[in-house]
Amino acid sequence: MLNSAVIKKKEGNVIQWIKDYAEKNRKNIDMQAAKKLFALCNEKKNNIKSELDKLFLYCLNEKEITLEVISKTVQNYDEDNIFNLLDNIILRQYEKSVIQYRELLNKRVSANVILFNLIEKLNKLIYFKETAVKMKYIGDSQLDQICAIIMQKYKLPINYYEKYKLKTFAAKYDFEKLKLFLKYMIELD
């Protein structure tokens, strides 16, 4: 079985990749700045690379990419908004969903990114619920183990925030409702 040490190792590998990629582009980035970038990009390597490329242009005449620069320039789409949108859509609260969707668009989150993240969160939720049922989930002590299994089996990393949101959603919704909603989301995509 995988455990939280595997998740920490993966985080360390991505942080090292950030530092190496910056060095390859003749920039330095300290550990705290790399961790901040990792968190703001929701631990997604393709988002990290895209943000680093922008940072290289922003810091064209600088050697160092600092925590301050990252805080000023890297935008986080705020995962909580995606989970709230998903919750309202599943609950068929369409007026709230439309308002939340427009708010995300106003924050310059593209429709494709919103849809991708909704589908990704829903997939993770279904895998989380299936794994928890198979393990006869009894409490928080098993959360890291469930997430490690999902990461190993489905290659879907689950960050700290997602882990607790998925636990809440898994208790709230049944399989059939989730699978039906996923089918609709995939058709929409």
Side-chain angles (χ1 to χ4, degrees), residues 153-166:
K153 188 172 181 180
Y154 303 107
K155 309 295 186 240
L156 288 172
I158 296 175
N159 66 40
Y160 180 83
Y161 175 76
E162 284 178 315
K163 175 171 52 175
Y164 289 99
K165 280 301 224 183
L166 292 171

Side-chain angles (χ1 to χ4, degrees), residues 78-148:
D78 188 6
E79 237 173 329
D80 203 36
N81 288 332
I82 297 294
F83 274 110
N84 289 337
L85 178 58
L86 179 62
D87 196 28
N88 283 320
I89 292 170
I90 293 172
L91 292 172
R92 296 182 178 178
Q93 295 177 342
Y94 299 121
E95 287 180 29
K96 280 185 182 179
S97 300
V98 169
I99 290 168
Q100 287 175 308
Y101 177 74
R102 287 183 182 150
E103 286 172 357
L104 285 167
L105 291 175
N106 287 337
K107 290 181 180 181
R108 296 190 175 147
V109 180
S110 76
N112 287 340
V113 168
I114 295 168
L115 187 57
F116 170 81
N117 281 290
L118 283 170
I119 292 170
E120 180 191 52
K121 300 290 183 247
L122 190 57
N123 266 326
K124 287 180 179 181
L125 177 56
I126 290 169
Y127 294 143
F128 185 94
K129 188 156 182 94
E130 285 176 345
T131 307
V133 167
K134 285 178 186 173
M135 289 181 62
K136 296 179 175 51
Y137 175 72
I138 53 172
D140 286 356
S141 62
Q142 294 172 303
L143 284 177
D144 285 338
Q145 189 178 11
I146 291 169
C147 294

Side-chain angles (χ1 to χ4, degrees), residues 21 47 53 59 65 94 107 133 136:
Y21 188 67
N47 291 353
D53 291 339
C59 300
I65 298 174
Y94 299 121
K107 290 181 180 181
V133 167
K136 296 179 175 51

Side-chain angles (χ1 to χ4, degrees), residues 37-55:
L37 180 62
F38 180 74
L40 286 173
C41 292
N42 296 309
E43 305 175 8
K44 292 181 172 55
K45 199 171 177 181
N46 59 339
N47 291 353
I48 294 167
K49 183 186 180 304
S50 176
E51 291 300 331
L52 275 171
D53 291 339
K54 291 177 203 170
L55 285 164

